[in-house]
Amino acid sequence: MKKVVLIISSIALLASCNKKEEKKTSLYPETKKTEAQLQLELGQEIFDGKGMCYSCHKPDQKIIGPSIKEIARIYKEEGASIVEFLKEKGDPIVDPTQYQLMKANFAITKNLPEEELKALEAYILSHSK
Ligand code: HEC
């Protein structure tokens, strides 16, 4: 009998803990994200995920491909379009000697919807002021 009481009271305790937690989170309602923030998040998700861009491009340092910062800086300076580049409609302007390596990725990027290409572009450009 004692055991049963113990079990019941511990369940009640657990339940009351859960309730507290619920109240706590609802005290801090999620702030609404702007369109721009959502676009950046989508861009990063593709860059690190199905685009597999991250395996060759890191934010600060050149590995196989140029750093994301380097790409952002040059595209801003030149006022060029990353979206067009990813559709294979633009010329390489960052490191044309290594273009062949990048070209293999057009198989992925050419099939992405415009919205996702724009998100990738926004994400890359966000790395330079
Ligand atoms: C196998 C390695 C590799 C992967 C994966 C890769 N890249 Fe690249 N990328 C490169 C190399 C190497 C260059 C340098 C050649 C060049 O500038 O075209 C480059 C250059 C670029 C450039 C600059 C192009 C220019 O004008 O010179 C952009 C933008 C870019 N990559 C975006 C991406 C995106 C977005 C993805 C993911 C969808 C991606 N890369 C995946 C290797 C890669």
Side-chain angles (χ1 to χ4, degrees):
M1 183 63 194
K2 254 189 192 164
K3 244 188 196 163
V4 173
V5 171
L6 197 71
I7 289 169
I8 289 175
S9 61
S10 55
I11 289 173
L13 195 72
L14 273 176
S16 72
C17 279
N18 281 345
K19 254 186 214 147
K20 243 185 226 160
E21 197 100 9
E22 245 169 45
K23 258 189 203 155
K24 207 173 162 194
T25 50
S26 67
L27 266 179
Y28 304 100
E30 228 179 282
T31 44
K32 235 179 169 268
K33 288 175 181 162
T34 63
E35 286 287 315
Q37 276 171 318
L38 288 171
Q39 192 187 37
L40 284 184
E41 281 181 11
L42 176 66
Q44 177 161 23
E45 199 183 302
I46 301 165
F47 199 91
D48 295 345
K50 67 175 177 184
M52 293 187 295
C53 323
Y54 194 69
S55 50
C56 292
H57 297 288
K58 302 285 179 212
D60 286 308
Q61 138 199 46
K62 179 185 158 78
I63 46 165
I64 298 165
S67 73
I68 308 176
K69 271 193 181 155
E70 172 84 354
I71 295 173
R73 184 179 60 77
I74 292 175
Y75 267 82
K76 279 196 178 163
E77 275 170 16
E78 302 289 327
S81 163
I82 292 175
V83 171
E84 290 298 297
F85 176 79
L86 295 175
K87 289 182 185 168
E88 207 174 354
K89 288 184 182 156
D91 293 322
I93 55 174
V94 177
D95 189 359
T97 61
Q98 299 294 308
Y99 184 48
Q100 288 305 323
L101 264 174
M102 180 57 206
K103 251 183 140 176
N105 300 292
F106 293 142
I108 298 177
T109 55
K110 272 179 155 179
N111 290 318
L112 294 178
E114 185 82 11
E115 183 201 340
E116 297 190 354
L117 292 176
K118 282 187 178 156
L120 275 175
E121 178 176 61
Y123 174 68
I124 293 173
L125 292 180
S126 74
H127 285 72
S128 122
K129 281 150 250 154

